[in-house]
Amino acid sequence: MAGDGNPELLVAAREALGWTQRQLAEELTRLSKADPEISQGYVSRVEKGSLSVSADRLELFSAVLEVTPDFLAGEGKLWSLGDGCVYHRNRKSTKASTLRTLHAQVNLLRLFLRRLAAGSTVTLREFNLVPMQVGGLDGPEDVARALRRELELPEGPIESVTEVAERVGALVVPMSLGGREVDATSLHPPGEAPVFVINTDAPADRQRFTQAHELGHIACAPALDLGAEEMAQAFASEFLAPAAQVRPDLQAAPITPARLLQLKARWRISAAALLRRALDLGVVTDSRYRTLNTQMSALGWKTAEPEPLPPEVATAVPTLLRAAVDAAGGVEAAAALAGTTAAKLRAMLGDQLLGVLDD
């Protein structure tokens, strides 16, 4: 077994666990029973690429980081926010360390899925969606309407946003993100299929809007005067509830919490999103919007709305996993092919995918 791990992959594997360099050094020392102990400075030099890693030491890193030695020694470009292909939908209060961990996890997941695809008989749907330029006369709403036409989606609510995302070639991975700090993150390196990680800790209506939001990032080429998140939000609103179609429903009866629940069942987006849509389309005034928000908050809807929607089901990644397990001859072998352990693969995947590995 060759040594010399890839510094980028070593960093990503550590950050995916949420560890500092010192914590990694402590785990390396504990597992190897090294004396003297392995220092944080050693880990730092390894991650900078200024210090090579022997084969035995690479095995140690592999065991602690729960990825295979050949994965750590392989090639793999890692992407970050500054590269323009990583996006996330999160609360303003989300810590930078939380986002760093999530971005590392998504980068690893992308590489695991690519390795599984290379070792299976599944041909992933080609991603060939050409983003439309936003700016001038064309806004994100125009892109949303154009994409609905291109995909020949019927008028009215979209049955499954997951199916739409997979139809254009995205790999949708529902997984728990350990709370509600981040609704989703997406990674779309040039020339590759996008990976959407959708937080299953959020209600289904939130997940649907979040997926439409992530679709906005890959369907729109943003203008310089419009932020990427603002653009994706406007796209999602129009994509899920086109103004020309939802406005008559919003105007048909006075907007009340009960009426919003009726419309939620039809349009399959949250009451809160429908209320915001009513404001943006001029159906309710600012004053009425604030009053209704206060009422919904008093009812406890900010935490959990009534009439929850059923979760959507991803199919592309489960199909890939099943084919990889069959081709490799078992879950452990498939995980090794991906470059990790079965336990780590299970921990990363969402509830909808766990059954594929447990069958």
Side-chain angles (χ1 to χ4, degrees):
M1 176 70 65
D4 293 340
N6 181 329
E8 278 196 284
L9 293 177
L10 286 162
V11 172
R14 171 180 60 78
E15 290 187 340
L17 292 170
W19 289 354
T20 64
Q21 290 179 341
R22 180 174 296 279
Q23 287 172 308
L24 175 55
E26 290 172 351
E27 286 299 311
L28 292 170
T29 299
R30 183 189 62 78
L31 187 61
S32 65
K33 299 181 175 59
D35 186 16
E37 65 182 22
I38 297 171
S39 69
Q40 180 269 332
Y42 167 79
V43 172
S44 176
R45 291 192 295 275
V46 165
E47 291 186 351
K48 289 178 181 177
S50 60
L51 190 64
S52 62
V53 183
S54 67
D56 289 346
R57 187 54 64 86
L58 191 64
E59 290 274 3
L60 177 60
F61 273 95
S62 167
V64 170
L65 295 172
E66 300 177 4
V67 287
T68 60
D70 70 289
F71 180 87
L72 288 177
E75 296 183 358
K77 166 67 178 174
L78 280 297
W79 304 88
S80 62
L81 279 174
D83 296 316
C85 63
V86 181
Y87 303 97
H88 52 257
R89 190 168 184 234
N90 62 282
R91 301 178 188 274
K92 292 182 179 179
S93 60
T94 304
K95 295 179 180 179
S97 59
T98 299
L99 295 177
R100 189 162 54 246
T101 296
L102 181 57
H103 294 159
Q105 290 173 345
V106 175
N107 269 288
L108 291 189
L109 180 61
R110 160 186 162 260
L111 295 176
F112 293 160
L113 293 177
R114 288 186 64 191
R115 287 168 62 111
L116 287 172
S120 76
T121 59
V122 170
T123 300
L124 297 176
R125 188 187 294 268
E126 181 181 358
F127 177 77
N128 53 17
L129 183 64
V130 179
M132 284 183 57
Q133 185 68 50
V134 172
L137 297 178
D138 294 320
E141 297 86 355
D142 297 293
V143 179
R145 290 189 287 269
L147 184 58
R148 286 184 69 121
R149 289 193 300 270
E150 181 182 338
L151 298 177
E152 299 181 341
L153 299 178
E155 290 192 354
I158 293 174
E159 183 66 24
S160 171
V161 186
T162 302
E163 189 278 331
V164 172
E166 292 185 331
R167 184 174 163 188
V168 301
L171 298 173
V172 179
V173 182
M175 61 187 284
S176 171
L177 300 182
R180 294 290 307 279
E181 283 294 303
V182 181
D183 281 326
T185 189
S186 63
L187 173 60
H188 184 203
E192 293 185 24
V195 177
F196 292 174
V197 172
I198 307 298
N199 189 0
T200 55
D201 300 324
D205 53 70
R206 182 79 175 181
Q207 293 179 42
R208 281 171 54 85
F209 198 96
T210 293
Q211 282 205 67
H213 180 100
E214 299 307 320
L215 272 173
H217 283 304
I218 64 174
C220 302
L224 294 177
D225 60 346
L226 184 63
E229 297 304 313
E230 178 186 358
M231 173 201 69
Q233 198 77 353
F235 171 94
S237 296
E238 180 67 18
F239 192 71
L240 291 175
Q245 299 165 37
V246 77
R247 183 182 280 110
D249 280 354
L250 292 169
Q251 294 173 328
I255 300 296
T256 64
R259 175 59 177 165
L260 290 171
L261 286 185
Q262 293 176 343
L263 294 176
K264 174 181 178 177
R266 164 165 164 70
W267 284 96
R268 301 174 63 80
I269 58 178
S270 69
L274 282 161
L275 178 57
R276 179 68 201 194
R277 199 77 176 116
L279 175 66
D280 291 342
L281 296 178
V283 177
V284 297
T285 63
D286 287 344
S287 175
R288 182 61 178 160
Y289 174 77
R290 290 193 297 271
T291 298
L292 286 167
N293 252 323
T294 300
Q295 292 177 1
M296 291 162 64
S297 180
L299 291 168
W301 291 15
K302 296 295 183 182
T303 302
E305 287 188 3
E307 309 298 334
L309 301 178
E312 296 185 350
V313 178
T315 60
V317 173
T319 299
L320 170 59
L321 288 171
R322 170 51 61 205
V325 169
D326 290 345
V331 175
E332 295 290 343
L337 175 66
T340 185
T341 65
K344 188 175 184 71
L345 206 55
R346 284 191 175 96
M348 294 185 74
L349 299 176
D351 292 341
Q352 295 181 31
L353 306 185
L354 287 174
V356 176
L357 296 180
D358 293 332
D359 289 344

